[in-house]
């Protein structure tokens, strides 16, 4: 396609949805990307810029002429501009801020004054409000005359004279009501507000829990400063999920499929290096038993079975607990019951696996003492794994830390060390 | 609270949001739950039933008097009734179907005729449509007279005389337009339809990719049969995330924090048993080298370092790849580049970790031959891990299998076997 034929590119890409253009830009190689952008920037509007993955957005903005960028950001709602600005360096930020009209620039700068990951960064400033005593007819008339309405809005917010939101009405409800009905008589039960300083993760939880479509944002005096819509909340939820999953797998949570090999290696190296240290712990435990291993060499072959099965049981228990904490299904009121359940489930699986190993040890290897050692070590390690998998994230959570972040390292170190220690320790006692 | 004081319970719970009542029911113990339901069911309406986790919904429905259940389901939109019915047994389904009015029952039965996890199951039948040639004024008048409008609707769908959707208009756009404007002149670009037989995962992807709020559903003739709204799509997305995360951790994906210990143990046992088999593979590899280990016992202590660091590198690469496939950022057009990136990143980290191990072997253990063995085995295993982490899910995906499901087992078996084999094999060649 890229035979420098700008008009063919226009014909091919001009009809695509901004999200698809962004995906295309993400998936081609950096070289193809800069060639494409040099040839064609008619379709790179604000929507494409806000769809594009953060990891290559800076590159794209730099490749575009200033006037194209300026044109692109001017048509966006303030929350989308803030989203783009957050990830740029100083110079890029100024380039975009200077392209905005005065009123928009002030709004964006105010939003950037809120802490990162707060509701204030997420909200759009454009709100649709009417006094609470207006009727449906008055509101309809007002909306019909307004020419500054945001791209997407789903509710009309009712405010008191001091701009404090007191309720909201869905557009559907408004349209199906007689014109003389008062707006305050057809408000929705689901109405609730969030503070501009609230964490965006809490806001996303509210949207999910109460099926909100939009939610007014207030300042410390309860005055309306903006509104958050469900598409922003859905984004946050998506990012939180990704963060949990990548953190559990010990990958830096800002990693992306577009990163180059060096960035990828650098994100992963710290966790690999930490594992060298924790694995050395296991090695030290094992080396305490070198006399035992020298006498019964087959122990060296069998010991990873106990350790690795423990590691998997720990990962299972951990994933369920981290997910439960994220969805707030695991709380202080049922933590005790969940821990008891894990203990019991660990015992059940420990007994089943121990029985299999005892039979295998007795009949395949032909040494029921060895079977006994395998079985007992497996039982101990399954219980430790199940408990560790839930207690480690609960403890991290209690201290205000992200339960997904370091849990996997703690839990697998625990199950490795305990697996080797129980197996070799019991072997020393029973076999030697 | 539960001292059989029904009026106090009413006072406490009566004001809660249905989602919060459902959470409360989930978090108390089964005994408390049945006592609470026996004392108080005034607040258990349809919304509570549809909020409640599937794992205990059946229990709750059985605990309630038939007339309360009947009353509860009658007020729900059809998609919520379908959602509740899906997880019930035959008897529970009939109990609920018989409580519905005829028209609703037919609608629910038709929805259940669509395959599980299809758009047809997800949609609500209640749609708001007008002929494409109507004006804003005519539409407003029509909506004001209609008394059957769904709880939530965000668009008016324009249909041709054969009920095929041709566009849609947001309520916001409608409200801000003069009454004489034709509806078809203010339709949205984002308009697209899905087929009733489409996979719900694809539908959720559309909502996320194109920022849809609602999406009309058509039958094989292109005729409108329902509409899917963003809250349903958000739910599906949430479930897909959960499924990926739990499957990667080798937990059955219908597991829940409310499950009892036996159910929990049973969900996890298959993967643990499979691991016994794959770990036996590693044991067999190790036992091939028992003569080597008998001569140099310290090898037994060091070999888990190589295997476990490889396991982590494999998990890292795997998590990023599975996530990329889920968000469709990893596609056939960039798969080759991503594999190359993983290869290169694996080599970089392999070299760094190998250097650390070589120094540690040479200066801490005091044997540079051993350092060399550790370093080379680590390098080999890091590269294998990085490649396995991306190639295994890509291959599963190509064969139409869920890349999250069995990947972790494949990859850790690969890194374990390769780690032990490379380390002990090199040791046999270099040290003996």
């Amino acid at each position: 396609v890229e035979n420098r034929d700008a008009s063919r590119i226009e014909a091919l890409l001009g009809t695509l949805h901004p999200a698809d253009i962004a995906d295309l830009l993400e998936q081609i190689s950096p070289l193809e990307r800069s060639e494409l952008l040099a040839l064609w920037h008619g379709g790179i509007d604000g929507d494409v810029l806000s769809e594009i993955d953060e990891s290559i957005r800076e590159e794209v903005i730099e490749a575009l002429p200033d006037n194209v960028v300026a044109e692109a950001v001017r048509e966006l709602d303030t929350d989308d501009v803030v989203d783009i600005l957050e990830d740029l360096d100083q110079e890029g930020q100024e380039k975009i801020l200077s392209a905005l009209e005065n009123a928009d620039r002030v709004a964006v700068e105010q939003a950037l004054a809120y802490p990162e990951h707060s509701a204030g960064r997420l909200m759009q400033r454009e709100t649709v409000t009417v006094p609470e005593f207006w009727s449906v007819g008055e509101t309809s008339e007002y909306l019909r005359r307004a020419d500054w309405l945001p791209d997407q809005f789903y509710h009309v917010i009712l405010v008191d004279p001091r701009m404090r939101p007191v309720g909201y009405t869905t557009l559907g409800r408004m349209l199906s009501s007689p014109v003389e009905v008062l707006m305050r008589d057809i408000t929705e039960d689901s109405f609730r507000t969030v503070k501009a300083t609230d964490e965006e993760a809490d806001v996303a939880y509210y949207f999910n829990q109460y099926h909100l479509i939009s939610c007014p944002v207030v300042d410390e005096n309860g005055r309306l400063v903006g509104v958050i819509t469900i598409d922003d909340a859905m984004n946050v939820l998506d990012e939180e999920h990704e963060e949990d999953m990548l953190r559990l797998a010990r990958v830096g949570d800002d990693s992306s499929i577009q990163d180059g090999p060096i960035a990828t290696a650098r994100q992963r190296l710290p966790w690999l290096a930490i594992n060298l240290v924790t694995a050395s712990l296991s090695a030290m435990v094992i080396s305490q038993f070198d006399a035992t291993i020298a006498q019964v060499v087959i122990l060296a072959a069998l010991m990873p079975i106990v350790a690795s099965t423990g590691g998997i049981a720990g990962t299972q228990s951990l994933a369920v607990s981290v997910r439960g904490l994220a969805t707030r299904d695991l709380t202080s009121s049922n933590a005790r019951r969940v821990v008891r359940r894990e203990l019991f489930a660990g015992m059940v699986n420990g007994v089943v696996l121990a029985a299999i190993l005892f039979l295998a040890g007795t009949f395949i290897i032909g040494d029921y003492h060895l079977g006994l050692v395998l079985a007992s070590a497996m039982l101990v390690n399954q219980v430790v794994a199940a408990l560790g998998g839930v207690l480690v994230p609960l403890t991290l959570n209690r201290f205000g830390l992200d339960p997904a972040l370091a849990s996997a390292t703690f839990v697998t170190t625990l199950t490795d060390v305990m697996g080797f220690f129980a197996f070799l320790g019991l072997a020393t006692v029973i076999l030697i």
Side-chain angles (χ1 to χ4, degrees), chain A:
Chain A
V1 182
E2 267 116 305
N3 290 328
R4 326 216 153 268
D5 184 350
S7 61
R8 278 225 36 215
I9 298 177
E10 170 64 37
L12 283 168
L13 301 186
T15 58
L16 286 181
H17 187 281
D20 293 326
I21 298 177
D23 280 353
L24 179 91
L25 285 172
E26 285 165 18
Q27 294 193 358
I28 58 183
S29 72
L31 190 68
E32 292 168 329
R33 192 149 58 224
S34 68
E35 280 182 4
L36 178 64
L37 289 174
L39 273 172
W40 178 78
H41 33 68
I44 309 293
D45 59 8
D47 289 328
V48 175
L49 281 187
S50 63
E51 292 288 348
I52 226 163
D53 193 86
E54 318 163 356
S55 58
I56 61 160
R57 195 188 280 146
E58 188 148 9
E59 183 191 324
V60 170
I61 289 179
E62 274 166 19
L64 290 171
D66 284 10
N67 63 327
V68 173
V69 174
E71 187 59 40
V73 293
R74 232 174 268 147
E75 67 196 40
L76 287 175
D77 284 339
T78 49
D79 58 333
D80 294 324
V81 178
V82 170
D83 189 41
I84 291 179
L85 276 180
E86 277 179 340
D87 305 306
L88 294 183
D89 59 19
Q90 192 73 23
E91 198 192 340
Q93 291 198 354
E94 274 162 22
K95 183 164 153 184
I96 286 191
L97 278 175
S98 62
L100 293 172
E101 286 155 36
N102 276 331
D104 283 345
R105 183 164 62 241
V106 171
V108 168
E109 281 170 345
Q110 278 173 351
L112 284 173
Y114 289 108
E116 225 184 323
H117 304 300
S118 69
R121 291 276 184 109
L122 210 58
M123 69 189 184
Q124 59 186 51
R125 299 242 140 194
E126 296 85 352
T127 57
V128 181
T129 60
V130 298
E132 50 180 328
F133 52 83
W134 277 20
S135 69
V136 169
E138 285 171 298
T139 308
S140 303
E141 199 51 41
Y142 168 72
L143 291 179
R144 199 153 291 139
R145 298 226 179 109
D147 59 353
W148 47 266
L149 293 175
D151 287 352
Q152 303 265 11
F153 73 106
Y154 314 105
H155 292 100
V156 174
I157 303 170
L158 308 187
V159 290
D160 70 9
R162 302 178 57 190
M163 272 304 273
R164 286 182 302 216
V166 293
Y168 62 22
T169 304
T170 64
L171 301 184
R173 194 81 191 276
M174 233 186 95
L175 275 166
S176 59
S177 301
V179 287
E180 67 277 9
V181 165
L182 290 184
M183 290 292 281
R184 68 168 152 229
D185 294 332
I186 51 169
T187 56
E188 293 289 307
D189 289 344
S190 66
F191 175 74
R192 56 195 68 221
T193 59
V194 295
K195 288 212 192 73
T197 50
D198 284 351
E199 286 278 326
E200 60 176 21
D202 295 330
V203 175
Y205 170 76
Y206 276 131
F207 270 83
N208 206 9
Q209 171 81 347
Y210 302 118
H211 307 293
L212 305 181
I213 296 296
S214 76
C215 183
V217 183
V218 297
D219 65 13
E220 65 274 24
N221 300 317
R223 272 193 283 260
L224 185 72
V225 290
V227 65
I228 293 174
T229 49
I230 189 168
D231 51 324
D232 300 313
M234 208 165 162
N235 250 336
V236 172
L237 206 67
D238 209 40
E239 278 167 23
E240 296 279 317
H241 279 303
E242 173 162 287
E243 200 177 276
D244 276 353
M245 181 167 160
L246 294 182
R247 283 185 171 178
L248 266 187
R250 287 169 267 202
V251 186
D253 44 280
D254 52 352
S255 82
S256 143
I257 209 93
Q258 276 85 42
D259 290 335
I262 298 294
T264 304
R266 201 159 36 193
Q267 284 151 9
R268 298 181 190 174
L269 188 59
W271 293 105
L272 294 169
I274 289 172
N275 185 68
L276 273 193
V277 177
T278 62
S280 304
L281 268 178
S282 302
M284 274 188 278
V285 170
I286 296 169
S287 67
Q288 299 304 308
F289 297 97
D290 54 358
T292 308
I293 295 173
Q295 279 187 50
V296 192
V297 179
I298 196 176
L299 294 179
L302 298 176
M303 65 186 190
I305 296 182
V306 176
S308 84
T309 314
I312 291 180
T315 308
Q316 290 176 328
S317 167
L318 181 59
V320 173
S321 307
V322 166
R323 172 78 193 170
L325 286 168
T327 57
R328 305 195 193 183
D329 288 326
L330 174 55
T331 63
S332 54
S333 67
N334 65 353
R336 193 177 291 241
R337 199 166 55 251
V338 171
V339 172
R340 213 157 44 214
R341 177 198 67 173
E342 289 296 335
L343 171 65
F344 197 70
M347 279 166 56
V348 170
N349 280 344
V351 167
V352 174
L353 296 170
I356 298 173
L357 280 185
F358 179 73
L359 294 176
T362 307
F363 295 105
I364 299 178
I365 310 176
D367 180 349
Y368 84 90
H369 280 114
L370 195 56
L372 195 65
V373 170
L374 273 172
S376 334
M378 177 63 86
L379 177 56
V380 170
N381 208 24
Q382 284 292 312
V383 172
V384 167
L387 282 181
V390 61
L391 289 177
V392 168
L394 276 176
T395 308
L396 289 173
N397 194 52
R398 173 151 309 176
F399 287 109
L401 299 167
D402 180 344
L405 190 53
S407 293
T409 301
F410 278 123
V411 172
T412 50
T413 304
L414 183 71
T415 54
D416 272 355
V417 168
M418 186 46 95
F420 293 128
F421 178 76
F423 179 69
L424 294 173
L426 285 166
T428 308
V429 173
I430 296 179
L431 296 182
I432 308 279

